[in-house]
């Protein structure tokens, strides 16, 4: 077997999501809950303009999901607590040696390092459920990891963060060599780039401790889209500058230095909880499109859409208000997980 994770820009079969349910992430009042339901639903409908969407729904939310999502989005029932599908679901891979085989990597999920507030026991089984429903071959892993903690270019390069995979609350016995060996086995990584850290807010109690998909992504081999905070009053001003300097020293799996494209942050610096981690890097690439985070800032949202359109030629950028998602700890990329399309059979019919 030669498992390999395709780039997000490769053709998709569908996108997987999980519908919100009662719990800490949803919110503690009716208005907050409704805000979350509406945000997840808006993303699902935006993605469905480009490719099929399958939404996993906890039985307690079956009626609400059916009403809000409508008949155009497939709904499957399964128990869940957390509903960040990028992290609780599997990472899909293809087998270079068996072109018709889809794999699903089942990372260990422990609620982003087992913080006291997290509930993950039900969603820890989501990767196996999705693998079964998608007809995938399960690729078991003992690495505590999440889909939002890796970004690949489809040609062997993977971006990770030192504070995630080497987090003692996730992998207390891991070192870089062990992590790299497991990423080679499960997703075909031949070059692991260890980004030093993530955004400031991500290190608060309800953060992921540095997920890469808030910081940088690989729109194409040899290119990096990097979050750029331009206001010196924000702590991520220094973070983004230091990450830019670090990435300038790195090369991809082919040995080539990166072209770094800066993706400026919105102008908003703070919300009621402190400095925001609003990032346009946290977008989802779909068939023929890009689903981008919007923050209610006309100029900044438009500039981000322009940069994303240039980074992904031929794709239509659709911006969805992501503020209710960011307020709960993630963005559009965090609540979605792409399932790659199987490659077409080689040769024709005689």
């Amino acid at each position: 077997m030669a498992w390999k994770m395709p780039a997000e820009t490769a053709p998709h079969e569908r996108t997987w999501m999980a519908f919100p349910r009662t719990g800490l992430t949803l919110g503690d009042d009716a208005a907050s809950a409704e805000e979350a339901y509406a945000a997840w639903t808006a993303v699902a409908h935006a993605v469905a303009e480009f490719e099929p969407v399958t939404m996993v729904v906890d039985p307690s939310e079956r009626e609400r999901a059916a009403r809000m999502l409508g008949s155009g989005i497939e709904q499957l029932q399964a128990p869940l607590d957390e509903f960040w599908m990028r992290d609780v679901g599997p990472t899909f891979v293809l087998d270079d040696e068996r072109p018709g085989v889809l794999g699903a990597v089942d990372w260990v999920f422990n609620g982003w390092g087992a913080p006291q507030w997290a509930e993950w026991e039900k969603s820890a089984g989501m990767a196996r459920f999705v693998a079964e429903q998608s007809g995938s071959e399960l690729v078991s892993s003992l690495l505590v990891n999440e889909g939002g903690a890796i970004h690949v270019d489809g040609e062997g390069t993977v971006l990770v963060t030192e504070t995630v995979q080497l987090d003692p609350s996730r992998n207390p016995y891991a070192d870089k060599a062990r992590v790299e060996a497991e990423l080679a086995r499960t997703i075909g990584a031949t070059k692991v780039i260890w980004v030093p850290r993530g955004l400031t807010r991500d290190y608060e109690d309800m953060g992921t401790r540095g997920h890469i998909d808030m910081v940088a992504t690989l729109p194409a081999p040899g290119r990096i889209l990097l979050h750029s905070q331009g206001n010196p009053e924000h702590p991520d001003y220094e973070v983004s500058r230091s990450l830019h300097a670090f990435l300038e020293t790195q090369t991809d799996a082919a040995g080539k230095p990166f072209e770094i494209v800066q993706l400026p942050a919105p102008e908003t610096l703070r919300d009621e909880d402190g400095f925001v981690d609003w990032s346009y890097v946290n977008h989802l690439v779909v068939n023929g499109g890009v689903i981008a985070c919007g923050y209610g800032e006309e100029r900044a949202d438009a500039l981000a859409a322009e940069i994303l359109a240039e980074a992904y030629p031929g794709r239509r950028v659709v911006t969805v208000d992501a503020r209710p998602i960011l307020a709960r700890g993630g963005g559009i990329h965090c609540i979605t997980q792409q399932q790659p399309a199987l490659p077409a059979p080689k040769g024709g019919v005689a």
Side-chain angles (χ1 to χ4, degrees), residues 85-86 88-92 104-107 126-128 130-131 337:
M85 184 57 87
R86 178 69 52 176
V88 303
T91 294
F92 288 103
V105 182
D106 179 17
W107 312 110
M126 187 54 54
R128 293 185 292 278
V130 172
Q337 178 62 274

Side-chain angles (χ1 to χ4, degrees), residues 267-321:
E267 293 182 6
T268 299
L269 297 182
R270 305 178 69 100
D271 62 11
E272 60 185 15
D273 296 317
F275 287 106
V276 300
D277 56 351
W278 293 2
S279 170
Y280 294 110
V281 169
N282 198 272
H283 54 271
L284 175 70
V285 182
V286 292
N287 293 335
V290 178
I291 312 302
C293 292
Y295 299 103
E297 296 187 18
E298 184 175 352
R299 183 172 60 179
D301 288 356
L303 175 60
E306 181 181 324
I307 294 172
L308 291 172
E310 189 278 331
Y312 302 101
R315 297 179 193 260
R316 177 165 61 94
V317 179
V318 174
T319 300
V320 178
D321 189 348

